[in-house]
Amino acid sequence: MSPARPTVAVLDYGLGNLRSVARALEHAGARAVVTGDPGEAGRANALVLPGVGAFDACMATVRATGLEDAVRDAVAREVPVFGVCLGMQVLFEGSEEGREPGLALLPGRVRRLPDSVKVPHMGWNEVRWTADHPLVRDVPSGTRFYFVHSYAPQPDPAVTVGETTYGVTFAAVVAQGAVVATQFHPEKSGAAGLALYGAFVKGLP
């Protein structure tokens, strides 16, 4: 009998390409469940916090639905949490995009990309690894990933795993404890993105 697939809850708070994230996780070997129910999220082996949209709208919905407590509880229990794009940004203390405080699960703030480049940034950028981490260990440094964003995190360097440059150098991959996050979209980044999801799922209990 084959081992049971780990369950990954893709948090549904009305923002994000949930189905494509779920499909990528299924491809990586997980049982992906798209849910806005904090209770169901709390029973999963891992959480993915996706997101496309505005920082304040995201935080307001995450708080109103009880998903904030689900994420905090997961982190407290060392259940893996994966933030993607806006889902990465809300893990920090706050953003220049809005007034709402972030989840503050990671140290640092999110800044607007400079006016010297076209914003939003949409396209492929090389990401350089700055630290060793199981999430990126099997993907070469300098691999290109797909970005869609106008703001980017400037975290404590201690949590930065990979960085890229678009007008300014910023963190593209971060990790601290059971929390990992990418500013780019792994589910839109071809084989390299699927490899990251594969590494994430492989490390689940």
Side-chain angles (χ1 to χ4, degrees), residues 8-112:
V8 179
V10 180
L11 301 187
D12 181 3
Y13 50 94
L15 298 169
N17 48 330
L18 307 177
R19 300 300 169 185
S20 60
V21 172
R23 285 194 298 269
L25 289 164
E26 292 273 354
H27 183 275
R31 174 180 172 266
V33 178
V34 176
T35 182
D37 177 7
E40 186 172 26
R43 294 188 292 273
N45 299 99
L47 308 182
V48 173
L49 189 63
V52 176
F55 189 94
D56 278 3
C58 174
M59 284 309 309
T61 306
V62 165
R63 291 196 164 106
T65 57
L67 290 174
E68 176 181 16
D69 291 337
V71 173
R72 292 191 182 283
D73 178 65
V75 172
R77 292 186 291 116
E78 298 186 346
V79 171
V81 174
F82 194 139
V84 177
C85 195
L86 181 61
M88 174 196 200
Q89 295 178 10
V90 298
L91 296 171
F92 290 95
E93 296 161 30
S95 173
E96 290 183 347
E97 185 181 11
R99 298 182 178 181
E100 289 280 337
L103 295 172
L105 295 171
L106 295 173
R109 295 188 62 82
V110 178
R111 310 290 183 189
R112 181 173 169 80

Side-chain angles (χ1 to χ4, degrees), residues 140-157:
S141 184
T143 295
R144 297 170 72 85
F145 294 91
Y146 190 77
F147 291 79
V148 183
H149 62 122
S150 299
Y151 295 80
Q154 297 288 345
D156 184 325

